[in-house]
Amino acid sequence: MNAILIVSILFLSPFISGISVLSVKRDRSTFLKLILSFSGAYLFGLTILHLIPHVYADASEHMDTIGLYILGGFLFQLLLEHFSQGVEHGHIHMKKENINSFPIAIMLSLCVHAFLEGMPLVSAQRQHLVFGIAIHHIPAAFALGSLLLASQVSKRTLLIAIFVFAMMTPAGFLTSQFISQHAVGDLAKYFDKIMAVVIGIFLHVSTTILFESGSADHHVFNKKKMIAVLLGIVLSLSSLIIGGHDHSHSEHDHHNHESHHEH
């Protein structure tokens, strides 16, 4: 998967979802709630089946500290959520009467969250990770757009805000790619730590989506939600078979070999 395709997927999914609030009524967004359940299950399965095993394999020399970075990412997302009000997992935990201006703190925390998610993609350009992040941003962008509508900002301001948010993950990917490929430096030795932080973020976001205590039907069996969750898990499982062996290690080693050869 080349860089242009990665950027296109990561940008278009949140941008289209975010601007769709201008034509889709929020009280008719049942389908979006199912996407939210699906994305939570897919992210959780992806993290357990792919990301955690790979980050420990990459960190063979300092494996004992990787867990600290995962916990750090989990706690960092907890801090970000204090400012974002849960928008990154598709919910708005803010009373309507308190939404009377442009939500700067929410916007900033979402941008930091999205930027960090894009950074590990340069070292592990796995299709399932790219699509996992893209799917995860669909409900987040819709929630952000809904929040901006409730804030009664202008249509132009809403479009700019959604555009900026949609650009954050591609920007994280392109920034880490530029730094690692040019004389600015080599991020390769930090990729396992960055990925560990992102894993912590994914664990927090996915489990919050799946076990959100604030949802009205949290303790009631919901057949449609269960089907969406199972589909997400099955898709993450199928990537083990369909995706085959991940060649990111060999690509990464090849890149390092070329770098040493150039020097």
Side-chain angles (χ1 to χ4, degrees):
M1 184 180 291
N2 61 50
I4 295 176
L5 184 57
I6 291 174
V7 169
S8 299
I9 293 171
L10 294 175
F11 172 77
L12 289 175
S13 60
F15 184 73
I16 293 173
S17 176
I19 64 175
S20 69
V21 298
L22 297 173
S23 57
V24 177
K25 292 185 178 180
R26 223 183 140 203
D27 56 2
R28 295 181 182 179
S29 58
T30 303
F31 180 67
L32 195 73
K33 293 179 180 178
L34 295 178
I35 293 179
L36 183 63
S37 298
F38 171 82
S39 69
Y42 183 70
L43 272 180
F44 185 74
L46 188 67
T47 302
I48 299 298
L49 296 172
H50 293 279
L51 304 187
I52 291 178
H54 279 288
V55 78
Y56 274 101
D58 292 342
S60 56
E61 295 182 0
H62 47 275
M63 191 180 300
D64 53 334
T65 63
I66 284 298
L68 295 176
Y69 287 95
I70 294 176
L71 286 175
F74 190 93
L75 294 175
F76 182 64
Q77 178 57 35
L78 192 63
L79 177 64
L80 286 179
E81 190 174 307
H82 174 72
F83 298 100
S84 68
Q85 301 294 318
V87 174
E88 62 270 68
H89 49 81
H91 296 293
I92 303 175
H93 302 304
M94 183 181 289
K95 294 181 180 179
K96 189 173 182 180
E97 56 268 22
N98 296 331
I99 308 175
N100 50 21
S101 61
F102 185 83
I104 297 177
I106 291 177
M107 188 70 192
L108 287 176
S109 61
L110 282 176
C111 287
V112 172
H113 169 90
F115 186 86
L116 286 174
E117 287 182 333
M119 295 198 74
L121 293 174
V122 69
S123 65
Q125 296 180 9
R126 307 181 189 96
Q127 290 186 7
H128 47 263
L129 180 55
V130 172
F131 285 109
I133 294 174
I135 293 171
H136 157 53
H137 282 171
I138 290 174
F142 191 86
L144 175 61
S146 299
L147 182 63
L148 292 170
L149 276 183
S151 303
Q152 298 182 342
V153 300
S154 66
K155 181 179 178 180
R156 181 172 178 269
T157 300
L158 185 148
L159 290 174
I160 292 174
I162 294 298
F163 176 84
V164 170
F165 171 66
M167 278 301 302
M168 284 298 103
T169 300
F173 162 64
L174 293 174
T175 299
S176 59
Q177 185 180 55
F178 176 81
I179 293 174
S180 63
Q181 292 181 355
H182 294 76
V184 178
D186 185 5
L187 285 180
K189 57 185 177 181
Y190 302 113
F191 282 141
D192 54 339
K193 299 180 180 67
I194 296 172
M195 178 61 82
V197 172
V198 173
I199 285 173
I201 291 173
F202 278 178
L203 284 175
H204 184 284
V205 171
S206 62
T207 53
T208 301
I209 290 172
L210 292 174
F211 310 114
E212 180 71 54
S213 59
S215 60
D217 59 349
H218 178 62
H219 297 294
V220 179
F221 179 78
N222 186 320
K223 184 169 68 174
K224 291 182 179 179
K225 179 179 178 180
M226 182 60 67
I227 292 174
V229 169
L230 289 175
L231 284 175
I233 295 295
V234 169
L235 186 60
S236 65
L237 285 168
S238 67
S239 63
L240 288 172
I241 302 172
I242 299 175
H245 180 69
D246 183 7
H247 298 286
S248 61
H249 286 286
S250 58
E251 292 175 358
H252 180 59
D253 292 340
H254 179 65
H255 173 70
N256 285 342
H257 177 73
E258 289 181 346
S259 299
H260 288 305
H261 181 68
E262 290 173 0
H263 290 293

